[in-house]
Amino acid sequence: MTEPVRRPGRRRAWVGLAPLALVALVAAASALPQLPFLALGGGPASVAGDDLHVAIGGLPDQPLVLVDMDPDLGTYPEIRYATRAALADLFAVGARVAMVSFSPEGRAIAIAEIARLRDAGAGSDRLVDLGFRSGSEAALVQLAGQPIDRDVNGQASPILDALHARGAGLGGFDLALVIGGGEMSPRTWIEQVEPRVPGLAVAAVTPTFLLPEMQPYRDAGQLVALAGTLPEGVAYGTSVAAGGTTSGLGRVPERPPSDAAILVGMLVALGVLIESGAGSLLSGRRGPRGHRS
Amino acid sequence: MRRSVNAATVAAVGIIILADLIVANPALGSVAGFLTGLVVFLAAAAAIAGSLSLVVRHGSRFAHGIDRVGSLAVLVGMALVLLPGLAPGSSGADAPAVRWVVAALLAPLVAAIFALLFPLLLAAARRGLRLRGRETALMLTGAAAVLVLLLPIGGEPGVWLASVAGWVQAVPVAAVFRGLLLGVAAIGAVTAARILLGADGIDD
């Protein structure tokens, strides 16, 4: 009796094609319409996502809002939908926005977002660019103790005039919205700014990896609102898109991430983990030969 | 002696900034503001010095023929980002050419590297199971459990998964995370005390 011939070359070719097949599968899934049994922003996520909508909706008329744009280039795709929804939400309630960055990556993203908002019609009376401030935490401490009366080009601005009329620097803002990342997270704001400017309300949009760090601050009320996971961001963005305008600055400019594509990616990861674990267990039962590597 | 001067300087700056946080005094505030400005200046100087050091190091490696391709890639990459912003007539970081470099090169490159984490982690998990089966299996069981809990499913099963995920995050994950933070804070305090008391050099 002859044993079946193994063809390692063919197996290797299949393994090599697997990543391409995964990309094709995720691309195909992202093109699918909304599936009824999937709910990326449903359940408890929608409650958490509503916090930010309520916090922004509760701001006074024509509020002054400081947006700290400091996400990472790597994790920004995860929070881009929630970030753009938050900016649309702010403009929909008539906010006058000042944008600042403390990290180089955050500044690069801020420049792109400012250009997008200017194209959408944000004039100097609605949006002012405070630029990049080097020095990370020290720069944030410096900003908390200084008057803010000039934009990135050293020019005056109607928004900064309004801030100046309130007689305060950072404390003159009605809300600080921190779009966080690894280098500058809302934790820095709470540690460095809240003791110096106690009246300033801080809200945040962060990628999921920061959630264990952020959750205690949300629970303690030091963050008035937090969209800290992809489902919360999607729930928040969907809520803003449903109640917002269909054009101009109050429009959410993109559709939410595809839950079908995310489900496919997660199922593939689970499949690989289970297959690897089962294969390892079986080879362990076969004895020492199975452990060759 | 030099270590003591450094430690004393760090301690004095820290104490002044801490005192400014507690005591409302204009003179103390201006000293703390000056020191903060100095820290900002030092950070900017360190960033520029780091960039120059990178250029000199890779320029020298390129000139001596050591990993020419790698060094050239670093130098060309730096030039691609710096030159459009520093060129005469350019408006700096928000110049169209810089925005194009960021949007068309940097952001896709970083996003691609980040996306590669997904297949690379799966490949690493497979290798890990072959090399250190028990420990890796424990870690991967945790990862698989998290993946199951975060599946974007609607209806009653989705609500149940989300509530279990909330409990996992609020109890075991929060406990481990707070334990880590407390441990780091305690080690930081002990290290700072050793520096202040001059006990840091005993082990050297």
Side-chain angles (χ1 to χ4, degrees):
Chain A
M1 205 171 115
T2 56
E3 283 192 21
V5 182
R6 287 193 164 196
R7 294 183 180 175
R10 184 173 289 182
R11 181 178 154 75
R12 217 172 290 142
W14 275 111
V15 171
L17 282 175
L20 292 177
L22 173 63
V23 170
L25 202 61
V26 171
S30 67
L32 285 176
Q34 186 73 29
L35 299 176
F37 60 94
L38 296 180
L40 189 57
S46 64
V47 179
D50 274 349
D51 284 352
L52 189 53
H53 199 31
V54 169
I56 290 176
L59 290 171
D61 189 37
Q62 292 196 318
L64 291 170
V65 178
L66 180 69
V67 175
D68 171 18
M69 189 65 95
D70 275 314
D72 309 314
L73 284 171
T75 54
Y76 187 57
E78 184 192 333
I79 58 170
R80 188 179 59 213
Y81 179 64
T83 301
R84 290 184 171 176
L87 290 169
D89 202 7
L90 286 170
F91 285 116
V93 300
R96 293 168 290 173
V97 174
M99 206 177 277
V100 69
S101 297
F102 298 94
S103 68
E105 289 188 18
R107 177 59 185 161
I109 293 167
I111 287 170
E113 288 298 329
I114 288 169
R116 182 183 67 78
L117 292 167
R118 294 272 187 239
D119 289 345
S124 60
D125 58 332
R126 300 301 304 278
L127 176 68
V128 62
D129 181 9
L130 296 181
F132 166 69
R133 290 176 174 247
S134 72
S136 199
E137 288 193 27
L140 184 57
V141 171
Q142 204 175 37
L143 186 74
Q146 278 183 343
I148 306 168
D149 51 7
R150 290 284 182 269
D151 70 2
V152 65
N153 299 315
Q155 307 289 317
S157 139
I159 296 175
L160 299 180
D161 290 345
L163 185 71
H164 191 63
R166 293 184 178 187
L170 211 52
F173 287 103
D174 296 297
L175 176 76
L177 176 66
V178 183
I179 314 295
E183 194 172 334
M184 177 66 81
S185 82
R187 186 160 75 104
T188 314
W189 274 79
I190 288 163
E191 287 175 352
Q192 301 293 346
V193 175
E194 281 205 352
R196 292 175 168 87
V197 191
L200 181 66
V202 180
V205 177
T206 54
T208 309
F209 82 91
L210 283 174
L211 187 63
E213 198 178 304
M214 292 299 107
Q215 189 66 40
Y217 296 124
R218 172 158 72 183
D219 294 344
Q222 287 171 292
L223 281 176
V224 295
L226 170 71
T229 62
L230 183 64
E232 287 176 9
V234 169
Y236 168 63
T238 311
S239 160
V240 173
T245 55
T246 52
S247 63
L249 291 168
R251 185 179 71 87
V252 181
E254 61 186 75
R255 65 189 182 103
S258 161
D259 40 14
I262 289 169
L263 182 71
V264 166
M266 292 172 85
L267 289 179
V268 168
L270 268 174
V272 172
L273 292 183
I274 291 168
E275 190 269 336
S276 307
S280 170
L281 275 177
L282 288 176
S283 65
R285 292 232 171 118
R286 267 190 235 124
R289 282 186 181 185
H291 280 290
R292 275 186 306 171
S293 59
Chain B
M1 177 65 186
R2 191 188 291 170
R3 285 174 67 92
S4 307
V5 171
N6 290 344
T9 309
V10 169
V13 169
I15 288 167
I16 290 171
I17 290 177
L18 196 63
D20 175 51
L21 205 62
I22 299 165
V23 183
N25 180 295
L28 192 60
S30 59
V31 174
F34 170 74
L35 289 173
T36 307
L38 215 55
V39 172
V40 171
F41 177 74
L42 278 175
I48 291 169
S51 307
L52 288 177
S53 151
L54 208 61
V55 170
V56 169
R57 180 176 163 74
H58 283 280
S60 157
R61 283 168 69 90
F62 183 77
H64 290 101
I66 308 164
D67 187 19
R68 278 197 158 149
V69 176
S71 294
L72 189 67
V74 171
L75 293 172
V76 169
M78 289 182 79
L80 268 176
V81 178
L82 287 175
L83 290 182
L86 297 175
S90 164
S91 57
D94 59 348
V98 179
R99 277 166 44 192
W100 182 85
V101 166
V102 171
L105 289 179
L106 282 183
L109 278 173
V110 176
I113 288 169
F114 207 75
L116 279 175
L117 273 180
F118 178 59
L120 288 178
L121 272 177
L122 291 178
R126 288 178 71 92
R127 282 181 64 85
L129 277 169
R130 283 206 297 272
L131 298 174
R132 288 177 178 272
R134 200 172 295 170
E135 297 89 338
T136 312
L138 188 66
M139 194 181 74
L140 293 185
T141 306
V146 170
L147 276 174
V148 170
L149 291 175
L150 294 180
L151 285 174
I153 298 170
E156 201 59 37
V159 171
W160 186 80
L161 283 177
S163 62
V164 176
W167 179 84
V168 168
Q169 186 207 317
V171 182
V173 172
V176 169
F177 199 80
R178 285 176 200 192
L180 279 173
L181 282 181
L182 287 172
V184 169
I187 289 171
V190 169
T191 309
R194 283 172 63 89
I195 291 172
L196 283 173
L197 297 172
D200 197 40
I202 292 170
D203 297 336
D204 296 342

